[in-house]
Amino acid sequence: SQLAEENPWALSVHEGESVTVNCSYKTSITALQWYRQKSGEGPAQLILIRSNEREKRNGRLRATLDTSSQSSSLSITATRCEDTAVYFCATDNNNRIFFGDGTQLVVKP
Amino acid sequence: AQTIHQWPVAEIKAVGSPLSLGCTIKGKSSPNLYWYWQATGGTLQQLFYSITVGQVESVVQLNLSASRPKDDQFILSTEKLLLSHSGFYLCAWSSDSATEVFFGKGTRLTVV
């Protein structure tokens, strides 16, 4: 079974709107990672939030972590068309990283 | 700086033919190495991982095999391709702490 799972499966917003992707995970973690994968490319890390952190920001991105409910969220403000991508959360376990199935985000002009 | 290079960029192969995909990591000693597979629009499926030369763990059986002949090289292969092998193959590396996975640009494989 998946150690991490994003929801919703897909999202569509218009440019300038804000959007949030949620993640639930099943293991104890040292950190929760968020990745973005654009079409035809490999994923790239956006934010790493450690288990002792509750919030992390990176420009227009904001990640939260709630270890008690084993959940995380990634919010993007002022979305742009170039934010169109699949967003994954990932957890580490025994020095390996496990990805969820991803949320497909489409940002329309 | 570390770099990861995957080859080839794309392949079109016939069913039943052999396949070899490669990956080289420069600038990082003893990385953890991974092979992932994605069907078109699909999820990232981890296929193999390796923490040291000569040692490869299989995560999913897809009639593929992997080898790590050198510290900086990871090879994915099969003797007979199936239609279901089509997809996007990604090589990746991480450090021991696994706080970030760095992906290559991928190989697009089409089996016809």
Side-chain angles (χ1 to χ4, degrees):
Chain A
S1 63
Q2 293 282 90
L3 294 183
E5 187 174 347
E6 302 87 351
N7 73 85
W9 180 73
L11 280 170
S12 179
V13 299
H14 287 96
E15 267 195 315
E17 294 178 341
S18 297
V19 68
T20 297
V21 179
N22 298 297
C23 171
S24 59
Y25 60 91
K26 295 180 181 178
T27 65
S28 61
I29 60 171
T30 56
L32 191 290
Q33 305 173 42
W34 284 97
Y35 287 76
R36 177 177 65 192
Q37 184 181 22
K38 295 190 174 184
S39 180
E41 301 178 2
Q45 193 187 79
L46 297 173
I47 289 182
L48 180 149
I49 182 166
R50 298 191 184 278
S51 59
N52 61 351
E53 297 176 312
R54 292 297 168 259
E55 180 180 302
K56 197 84 169 280
R57 291 178 183 267
N58 179 7
R60 295 181 295 111
L61 306 176
R62 172 178 171 261
T64 65
L65 181 64
D66 183 343
T67 53
S68 63
S69 63
Q70 295 190 309
S71 64
S72 175
S73 70
L74 176 70
S75 297
I76 308 174
T77 57
T79 54
R80 305 168 182 167
C81 288
E82 52 262 39
D83 292 328
T84 293
V86 178
Y87 290 79
F88 296 94
C89 64
T91 58
D92 61 290
N93 185 267
N94 288 332
N95 292 325
R96 289 173 54 198
I97 297 181
F98 297 88
F99 290 83
D101 290 341
T103 291
Q104 172 67 62
L105 171 64
V106 174
V107 182
K108 302 176 182 177
Chain B
Q2 300 87 6
T3 60
I4 178 169
H5 174 61
Q6 264 189 262
W7 73 90
V9 172
E11 282 263 49
I12 300 176
K13 304 276 281 186
V15 169
S17 64
L19 174 75
S20 180
L21 304 181
C23 174
T24 298
I25 294 85
K26 297 298 183 186
K28 175 64 181 175
S29 177
S30 302
N32 293 342
L33 297 177
Y34 310 85
W35 278 111
Y36 288 87
W37 173 78
Q38 258 183 331
T40 302
T43 63
L44 276 168
Q45 176 65 65
Q46 190 177 116
L47 300 176
F48 300 94
Y49 72 95
S50 171
I51 61 173
T52 191
V53 175
Q55 182 180 337
V56 177
E57 298 294 330
S58 173
V59 178
V60 173
Q61 285 294 332
L62 285 179
N63 293 308
L64 296 168
S65 60
S67 64
R68 186 171 178 176
K70 302 178 184 178
D71 186 53
D72 64 354
Q73 194 174 71
F74 209 19
I75 306 295
L76 183 71
S77 61
T78 183
E79 292 186 358
K80 286 188 178 181
L81 279 166
L82 307 173
L83 286 174
S84 57
H85 286 137
S86 292
F88 195 43
Y89 288 85
L90 289 156
C91 179
W93 72 270
S94 71
S95 63
D96 281 347
S97 62
T99 54
E100 184 168 1
V101 180
F102 299 89
F103 287 85
K105 294 185 182 299
T107 296
R108 176 72 59 188
L109 174 66
T110 304
V111 182
V112 296

